[in-house]
């Protein structure tokens, strides 16, 4: 075999080794990119789930507050019935406002319960508020049916008949709102911790894959150089 043929074969061998090395580099890059994209997709999906959970928790908290405010307004409308309902037109207006707030409380509490159940949260607190409000609705209704605003004394007597009835429900509302806030905060922290853990895992995996890829490339380079030296 002539020297020219030998050099040609050596160059061919060198090209093959370079092609193998390039293939190894491409393979390493593909693996790294696939792992990176998979990890980023998982984090994206978790982030989207976190955003949805956070949105529902915020809605639940807002609805609980709205129910609490509506109940306070309902109590105020009851005072308006007694204090300003001597005129039949005013009485009708304030009674309608009272019942409107009463219905608002029921609606908002129903929405709180629905969303809480959908989030896997306990509904004991909202069930207790619903039961107390239903009982209070009956007692207020009976007082309204028996209401006689012909004299101030009659209004005072009606007020005394229901005085203090709203306190247990007010306290139950405070408990409900505080519980929803606490559960919302705990759920938010749990989701944030999960996303953070996934991000840290993805970072460690990428570091490991990069290290393995560099080692594989160096090994391929060493093997290629050894093969060329034998020629």
């Amino acid at each position: 075999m002539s020297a020219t043929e030998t050099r040609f074969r050596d160059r061919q061998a060198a090209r093959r080794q370079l092609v193998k090395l390039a293939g190894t580099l491409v393979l390493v890059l593909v693996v790294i990119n696939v792992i990176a994209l998979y990890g980023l997709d998982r984090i994206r999906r978790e982030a989207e789930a976190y955003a949805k959970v956070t949105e529902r928790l915020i809605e639940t908290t807002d609805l609980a507050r709205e129910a609490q405010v509506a109940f306070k307004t309902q109590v105020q409308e009851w005072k308006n019935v007694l204090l300003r309902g001597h005129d039949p037109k005013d009485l009708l207006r304030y009674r309608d406002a009272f019942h409107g707030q009463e219905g608002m409380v029921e609606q908002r509490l129903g929405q709180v319960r629905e969303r809480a159940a959908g989030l896997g949260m306990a509904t004991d607190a909202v069930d207790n508020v619903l039961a107390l409000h239903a009982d209070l609705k009956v007692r207020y209704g009976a007082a309204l049916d028996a209401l006689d605003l012909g004299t101030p004394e009659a209004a005072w007597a009606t007020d005394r008949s229901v005085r203090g009835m709203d306190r247990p429900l007010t306290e139950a509302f405070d408990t409900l709102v505080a519980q929803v806030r606490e559960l919302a905060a705990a759920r938010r922290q749990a989701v944030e911790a999960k996303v953070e853990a996934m991000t840290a895992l993805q970072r460690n995996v990428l570091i490991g894959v990069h290290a393995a890829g560099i080692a594989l490339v160096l090994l391929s380079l060493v093997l290629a150089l050894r093969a060329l030296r034998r020629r």
Side-chain angles (χ1 to χ4, degrees), residues 170-188:
T170 299
E171 295 173 357
F173 260 116
D174 292 338
T175 300
L176 171 63
V177 173
Q179 186 181 76
V180 171
R181 285 176 178 173
E182 291 173 0
L183 289 172
R187 183 65 62 85
R188 185 166 54 249

PDB file of all heavy atoms in Angstrom, residues 170-188:
ATOM      1  N   THR A 170     -73.200  35.978  63.417  1.00  0.00           N
ATOM      2  CA  THR A 170     -72.074  36.894  63.178  1.00  0.00           C
ATOM      3  C   THR A 170     -70.757  36.223  63.532  1.00  0.00           C
ATOM      4  O   THR A 170     -69.764  36.315  62.791  1.00  0.00           O
ATOM      5  CB  THR A 170     -72.247  38.173  64.008  1.00  0.00           C
ATOM      6  OG1 THR A 170     -73.461  38.829  63.610  1.00  0.00           O
ATOM      7  CG2 THR A 170     -71.076  39.121  63.802  1.00  0.00           C
ATOM      8  N   GLU A 171     -70.721  35.536  64.674  1.00  0.00           N
ATOM      9  CA  GLU A 171     -69.510  34.819  65.087  1.00  0.00           C
ATOM     10  C   GLU A 171     -69.195  33.674  64.121  1.00  0.00           C
ATOM     11  O   GLU A 171     -68.025  33.426  63.797  1.00  0.00           O
ATOM     12  CB  GLU A 171     -69.690  34.285  66.504  1.00  0.00           C
ATOM     13  CG  GLU A 171     -69.822  35.382  67.563  1.00  0.00           C
ATOM     14  CD  GLU A 171     -70.157  34.834  68.938  1.00  0.00           C
ATOM     15  OE1 GLU A 171     -70.344  33.590  69.043  1.00  0.00           O
ATOM     16  OE2 GLU A 171     -70.241  35.625  69.893  1.00  0.00           O
ATOM     17  N   ALA A 172     -70.244  32.985  63.662  1.00  0.00           N
ATOM     18  CA  ALA A 172     -70.029  31.890  62.708  1.00  0.00           C
ATOM     19  C   ALA A 172     -69.471  32.419  61.390  1.00  0.00           C
ATOM     20  O   ALA A 172     -68.621  31.777  60.766  1.00  0.00           O
ATOM     21  CB  ALA A 172     -71.343  31.138  62.471  1.00  0.00           C
ATOM     22  N   PHE A 173     -69.939  33.591  60.984  1.00  0.00           N
ATOM     23  CA  PHE A 173     -69.414  34.216  59.767  1.00  0.00           C
ATOM     24  C   PHE A 173     -67.930  34.549  59.940  1.00  0.00           C
ATOM     25  O   PHE A 173     -67.121  34.336  59.031  1.00  0.00           O
ATOM     26  CB  PHE A 173     -70.196  35.477  59.422  1.00  0.00           C
ATOM     27  CG  PHE A 173     -71.218  35.277  58.340  1.00  0.00           C
ATOM     28  CD1 PHE A 173     -72.562  35.428  58.617  1.00  0.00           C
ATOM     29  CD2 PHE A 173     -70.824  34.934  57.055  1.00  0.00           C
ATOM     30  CE1 PHE A 173     -73.508  35.242  57.620  1.00  0.00           C
ATOM     31  CE2 PHE A 173     -71.775  34.743  56.060  1.00  0.00           C
ATOM     32  CZ  PHE A 173     -73.119  34.904  56.349  1.00  0.00           C
ATOM     33  N   ASP A 174     -67.586  35.100  61.097  1.00  0.00           N
ATOM     34  CA  ASP A 174     -66.178  35.417  61.366  1.00  0.00           C
ATOM     35  C   ASP A 174     -65.315  34.163  61.279  1.00  0.00           C
ATOM     36  O   ASP A 174     -64.219  34.176  60.697  1.00  0.00           O
ATOM     37  CB  ASP A 174     -66.035  36.057  62.749  1.00  0.00           C
ATOM     38  CG  ASP A 174     -66.662  37.440  62.813  1.00  0.00           C
ATOM     39  OD1 ASP A 174     -66.826  38.056  61.753  1.00  0.00           O
ATOM     40  OD2 ASP A 174     -66.981  37.891  63.931  1.00  0.00           O
ATOM     41  N   THR A 175     -65.818  33.071  61.854  1.00  0.00           N
ATOM     42  CA  THR A 175     -65.092  31.798  61.812  1.00  0.00           C
ATOM     43  C   THR A 175     -64.954  31.296  60.378  1.00  0.00           C
ATOM     44  O   THR A 175     -63.879  30.830  59.968  1.00  0.00           O
ATOM     45  CB  THR A 175     -65.821  30.741  62.657  1.00  0.00           C
ATOM     46  OG1 THR A 175     -65.902  31.192  64.008  1.00  0.00           O
ATOM     47  CG2 THR A 175     -65.079  29.407  62.609  1.00  0.00           C
ATOM     48  N   LEU A 176     -66.043  31.394  59.614  1.00  0.00           N
ATOM     49  CA  LEU A 176     -66.025  30.914  58.224  1.00  0.00           C
ATOM     50  C   LEU A 176     -65.018  31.686  57.389  1.00  0.00           C
ATOM     51  O   LEU A 176     -64.197  31.096  56.680  1.00  0.00           O
ATOM     52  CB  LEU A 176     -67.417  31.050  57.614  1.00  0.00           C
ATOM     53  CG  LEU A 176     -67.518  30.782  56.103  1.00  0.00           C
ATOM     54  CD1 LEU A 176     -67.133  29.346  55.788  1.00  0.00           C
ATOM     55  CD2 LEU A 176     -68.925  31.099  55.597  1.00  0.00           C
ATOM     56  N   VAL A 177     -65.071  33.014  57.462  1.00  0.00           N
ATOM     57  CA  VAL A 177     -64.159  33.841  56.658  1.00  0.00           C
ATOM     58  C   VAL A 177     -62.713  33.576  57.052  1.00  0.00           C
ATOM     59  O   VAL A 177     -61.832  33.440  56.185  1.00  0.00           O
ATOM     60  CB  VAL A 177     -64.511  35.331  56.811  1.00  0.00           C
ATOM     61  CG1 VAL A 177     -63.460  36.191  56.131  1.00  0.00           C
ATOM     62  CG2 VAL A 177     -65.884  35.625  56.226  1.00  0.00           C
ATOM     63  N   ALA A 178     -62.453  33.469  58.366  1.00  0.00           N
ATOM     64  CA  ALA A 178     -61.088  33.195  58.816  1.00  0.00           C
ATOM     65  C   ALA A 178     -60.619  31.825  58.337  1.00  0.00           C
ATOM     66  O   ALA A 178     -59.465  31.663  57.903  1.00  0.00           O
ATOM     67  CB  ALA A 178     -61.028  33.266  60.341  1.00  0.00           C
ATOM     68  N   GLN A 179     -61.512  30.842  58.389  1.00  0.00           N
ATOM     69  CA  GLN A 179     -61.146  29.484  57.953  1.00  0.00           C
ATOM     70  C   GLN A 179     -60.853  29.449  56.458  1.00  0.00           C
ATOM     71  O   GLN A 179     -59.883  28.817  56.024  1.00  0.00           O
ATOM     72  CB  GLN A 179     -62.272  28.512  58.291  1.00  0.00           C
ATOM     73  CG  GLN A 179     -61.910  27.052  57.993  1.00  0.00           C
ATOM     74  CD  GLN A 179     -63.053  26.109  58.303  1.00  0.00           C
ATOM     75  OE1 GLN A 179     -64.020  26.033  57.553  1.00  0.00           O
ATOM     76  NE2 GLN A 179     -62.955  25.400  59.409  1.00  0.00           N
ATOM     77  N   VAL A 180     -61.684  30.111  55.679  1.00  0.00           N
ATOM     78  CA  VAL A 180     -61.464  30.132  54.221  1.00  0.00           C
ATOM     79  C   VAL A 180     -60.138  30.799  53.906  1.00  0.00           C
ATOM     80  O   VAL A 180     -59.372  30.334  53.054  1.00  0.00           O
ATOM     81  CB  VAL A 180     -62.625  30.850  53.514  1.00  0.00           C
ATOM     82  CG1 VAL A 180     -62.295  31.061  52.035  1.00  0.00           C
ATOM     83  CG2 VAL A 180     -63.908  30.047  53.640  1.00  0.00           C
ATOM     84  N   ARG A 181     -59.838  31.891  54.605  1.00  0.00           N
ATOM     85  CA  ARG A 181     -58.556  32.572  54.380  1.00  0.00           C
ATOM     86  C   ARG A 181     -57.386  31.660  54.731  1.00  0.00           C
ATOM     87  O   ARG A 181     -56.397  31.589  53.984  1.00  0.00           O
ATOM     88  CB  ARG A 181     -58.502  33.836  55.227  1.00  0.00           C
ATOM     89  CG  ARG A 181     -59.351  34.981  54.718  1.00  0.00           C
ATOM     90  CD  ARG A 181     -59.293  36.147  55.677  1.00  0.00           C
ATOM     91  NE  ARG A 181     -60.062  37.291  55.195  1.00  0.00           N
ATOM     92  CZ  ARG A 181     -60.283  38.378  55.915  1.00  0.00           C
ATOM     93  NH1 ARG A 181     -59.792  38.477  57.135  1.00  0.00           N
ATOM     94  NH2 ARG A 181     -60.999  39.372  55.413  1.00  0.00           N
ATOM     95  N   GLU A 182     -57.486  30.976  55.868  1.00  0.00           N
ATOM     96  CA  GLU A 182     -56.401  30.087  56.292  1.00  0.00           C
ATOM     97  C   GLU A 182     -56.220  28.934  55.311  1.00  0.00           C
ATOM     98  O   GLU A 182     -55.089  28.580  54.945  1.00  0.00           O
ATOM     99  CB  GLU A 182     -56.685  29.556  57.697  1.00  0.00           C
ATOM    100  CG  GLU A 182     -56.594  30.617  58.792  1.00  0.00           C
ATOM    101  CD  GLU A 182     -57.036  30.083  60.141  1.00  0.00           C
ATOM    102  OE1 GLU A 182     -57.404  28.889  60.213  1.00  0.00           O
ATOM    103  OE2 GLU A 182     -57.030  30.861  61.115  1.00  0.00           O
ATOM    104  N   LEU A 183     -57.332  28.332  54.897  1.00  0.00           N
ATOM    105  CA  LEU A 183     -57.244  27.224  53.952  1.00  0.00           C
ATOM    106  C   LEU A 183     -56.701  27.693  52.607  1.00  0.00           C
ATOM    107  O   LEU A 183     -55.919  26.987  51.965  1.00  0.00           O
ATOM    108  CB  LEU A 183     -58.626  26.587  53.767  1.00  0.00           C
ATOM    109  CG  LEU A 183     -59.154  25.779  54.952  1.00  0.00           C
ATOM    110  CD1 LEU A 183     -60.602  25.367  54.710  1.00  0.00           C
ATOM    111  CD2 LEU A 183     -58.298  24.548  55.192  1.00  0.00           C
ATOM    112  N   ALA A 184     -57.111  28.876  52.191  1.00  0.00           N
ATOM    113  CA  ALA A 184     -56.605  29.421  50.932  1.00  0.00           C
ATOM    114  C   ALA A 184     -55.101  29.646  51.009  1.00  0.00           C
ATOM    115  O   ALA A 184     -54.359  29.311  50.076  1.00  0.00           O
ATOM    116  CB  ALA A 184     -57.325  30.731  50.600  1.00  0.00           C
ATOM    117  N   ALA A 185     -54.649  30.202  52.127  1.00  0.00           N
ATOM    118  CA  ALA A 185     -53.217  30.442  52.301  1.00  0.00           C
ATOM    119  C   ALA A 185     -52.439  29.129  52.336  1.00  0.00           C
ATOM    120  O   ALA A 185     -51.375  29.000  51.721  1.00  0.00           O
ATOM    121  CB  ALA A 185     -52.970  31.238  53.577  1.00  0.00           C
ATOM    122  N   ALA A 186     -52.982  28.135  53.057  1.00  0.00           N
ATOM    123  CA  ALA A 186     -52.301  26.837  53.152  1.00  0.00           C
ATOM    124  C   ALA A 186     -52.240  26.147  51.794  1.00  0.00           C
ATOM    125  O   ALA A 186     -51.194  25.596  51.414  1.00  0.00           O
ATOM    126  CB  ALA A 186     -53.025  25.949  54.164  1.00  0.00           C
ATOM    127  N   ARG A 187     -53.353  26.181  51.053  1.00  0.00           N
ATOM    128  CA  ARG A 187     -53.363  25.539  49.736  1.00  0.00           C
ATOM    129  C   ARG A 187     -52.409  26.249  48.778  1.00  0.00           C
ATOM    130  O   ARG A 187     -51.693  25.608  48.004  1.00  0.00           O
ATOM    131  CB  ARG A 187     -54.787  25.571  49.178  1.00  0.00           C
ATOM    132  CG  ARG A 187     -54.962  24.871  47.841  1.00  0.00           C
ATOM    133  CD  ARG A 187     -54.707  23.375  47.972  1.00  0.00           C
ATOM    134  NE  ARG A 187     -55.657  22.777  48.870  1.00  0.00           N
ATOM    135  CZ  ARG A 187     -56.881  22.356  48.507  1.00  0.00           C
ATOM    136  NH1 ARG A 187     -57.269  22.500  47.259  1.00  0.00           N
ATOM    137  NH2 ARG A 187     -57.670  21.797  49.371  1.00  0.00           N
ATOM    138  N   ARG A 188     -52.381  27.562  48.852  1.00  0.00           N
ATOM    139  CA  ARG A 188     -51.486  28.332  47.981  1.00  0.00           C
ATOM    140  C   ARG A 188     -50.029  28.010  48.285  1.00  0.00           C
ATOM    141  O   ARG A 188     -49.211  27.813  47.380  1.00  0.00           O
ATOM    142  CB  ARG A 188     -51.753  29.829  48.164  1.00  0.00           C
ATOM    143  CG  ARG A 188     -50.963  30.711  47.212  1.00  0.00           C
ATOM    144  CD  ARG A 188     -51.510  32.118  47.193  1.00  0.00           C
ATOM    145  NE  ARG A 188     -51.591  32.700  48.518  1.00  0.00           N
ATOM    146  CZ  ARG A 188     -52.723  32.965  49.160  1.00  0.00           C
ATOM    147  NH1 ARG A 188     -53.882  32.667  48.592  1.00  0.00           N
ATOM    148  NH2 ARG A 188     -52.725  33.513  50.357  1.00  0.00           N
TER     149      ARG A 188
END
